Amino acid sequence: MANVASAPLLQVDAITMIFGGIVAIDNLSLDVKQGQILALMGPNGAGKTTTFHVIAGVHKPTLGCILFQGQDITALRPDARCRAGVARTFQITQPFEQLSVAENIMVGARPYHSSMAELRKASEAYAHKVGLGDKLNTLAKGLSTGQRKRLELARAMATRPKLLLMDEVTGGVDMKSIPGLIDLVKTLRADGLTIVLIEHNMRVINELADEAVFMNRGARMVSGTPHEVATNPAVVELYLGESADHGH
Ligand SMILES: Nc1ncnc2c1ncn2[C@@H]1O[C@H](COP(=O)(O)OP(=O)(O)OP(=O)(O)O)[C@@H](O)[C@H]1O
Ligand SMILES: [Mg+2]
């Protein structure tokens, strides 16, 4: 292998993902550099979440491969990719509803701690980090959407990732909670995390992303700075068409 140290942290190399007759991802390549925040944009059904599934190992791609730290991880199962440093949050949050905030985070942190006391302490620290320090004993089912997103972030961070895939972390969250979530992602980046975020909210993308890739029908349509992508005529037309259709 050439120079692994200078390779991007993540390389999505010519991925195609076909389900039955549906081409969900069409020959997509992405490079994500260490420390970068990349935004994945695109209309509903563009293939964004499927791209995360393929990176995290939920689906084996029909064609192409995934390289992480220069190593081909395409054949690794999701748990092995997690141990290698790939974590994700879900578009539809999926905490253990009957467990408390602290207990949910403990599930992610478990592999790193040998005693219960240590595990509990570390999990509480992640809860504080994401702003849920006063909700340690609240059951997940009692959290608001924004708090559930924060819990997702804490659980993912507890696995000590190098790369975090965030699927619509501001989706369904009330407007007044969004600046706090933006600040939280900034602190994660400052801690050295590399992030790919799927995001529809242009304000969030502008504040966070170094680069944006706009997908349509499974393929890269436009990429560049957030401003370049947002002002691209083809993107504007697609998003205007969407908002006319269903209020995006
Ligand atoms: N497991 C699956 N089986 C069959 N088709 C699938 C599967 N997963 C995704 N698809 C299809 O792949 C396409 C891309 O879906 P995907 O969920 O990746 O879109 P998305 O960009 O995340 O959209 P949204 O913005 O609505 O979340 C869609 O046509 C979807 O119906
Ligand atoms: Mg999606």
Side-chain angles (χ1 to χ4, degrees):
M1 203 164 307
N3 190 349
V4 172
S6 67
L9 182 68
L10 174 75
Q11 289 168 277
V12 171
D13 187 8
I15 292 292
T16 291
M17 183 77 235
I18 302 175
F19 297 109
I22 298 169
V23 181
I25 307 177
D26 183 5
N27 194 28
L28 179 72
S29 293
L30 299 170
D31 277 359
V32 185
K33 295 186 218 62
Q34 174 70 45
Q36 188 183 22
I37 298 186
L38 177 83
L40 215 49
M41 304 170 60
N44 298 125
K48 305 177 300 292
T49 296
T50 305
T51 300
F52 274 11
H53 285 319
V54 170
I55 297 168
V58 178
H59 300 311
K60 190 179 176 324
T62 312
L63 293 170
C65 59
I66 305 291
L67 300 172
F68 185 64
Q69 297 183 297
Q71 308 285 334
D72 189 340
I73 60 165
T74 321
L76 294 187
R77 295 198 333 215
D79 54 329
R81 295 192 201 197
C82 181
R83 283 195 297 278
V86 179
R88 66 179 301 194
T89 69
F90 290 88
Q91 183 167 2
I92 315 239
T93 55
Q94 321 181 316
F96 297 105
E97 303 283 350
Q98 303 294 340
L99 295 185
S100 69
V101 163
E103 288 162 345
N104 265 282
I105 302 170
M106 284 161 77
V107 175
R110 221 184 104 175
Y112 300 100
H113 302 280
S114 48
S115 81
M116 263 318 261
E118 247 186 63
L119 173 59
R120 176 105 203 166
K121 203 169 144 215
S123 303
E124 292 182 3
Y126 287 112
H128 282 283
K129 172 112 196 151
V130 301
L132 292 176
D134 59 345
K135 295 270 186 283
L136 293 175
N137 297 315
T138 305
L139 297 188
K141 67 176 183 183
L143 298 179
S144 70
T145 306
Q147 289 165 342
R148 290 168 76 95
K149 302 278 185 174
R150 287 171 180 272
L151 176 58
E152 277 280 296
L153 280 170
R155 187 198 44 72
M157 292 309 297
T159 69
R160 300 187 180 178
K162 300 184 177 83
L163 173 71
L164 180 59
L165 310 170
M166 300 188 348
D167 198 346
E168 299 200 21
V169 92
T170 66
V173 173
D174 60 295
M175 292 290 277
K176 71 178 191 329
S177 303
I178 289 182
L181 279 170
I182 292 175
D183 286 344
L184 175 55
V185 175
K186 285 181 178 168
T187 68
L188 301 182
R189 169 172 46 194
D191 290 345
L193 201 63
T194 304
I195 298 171
V196 184
L197 41 92
I198 294 174
E199 186 56 62
H200 288 290
N201 184 325
M202 209 50 229
R203 174 172 167 208
V204 176
I205 296 170
N206 274 325
E207 281 213 40
L208 290 174
D210 304 301
E211 186 188 347
V213 171
F214 190 97
M215 292 178 69
N216 190 31
R217 297 173 189 270
R220 175 195 293 253
M221 191 175 91
V222 177
S223 48
T225 64
H227 180 75
E228 284 165 353
V229 172
T231 53
N232 180 284
V235 168
V236 170
E237 197 182 321
L238 252 173
Y239 263 167
L240 287 179
E242 274 241 322
S243 58
D245 286 347
H246 38 243
H248 242 300

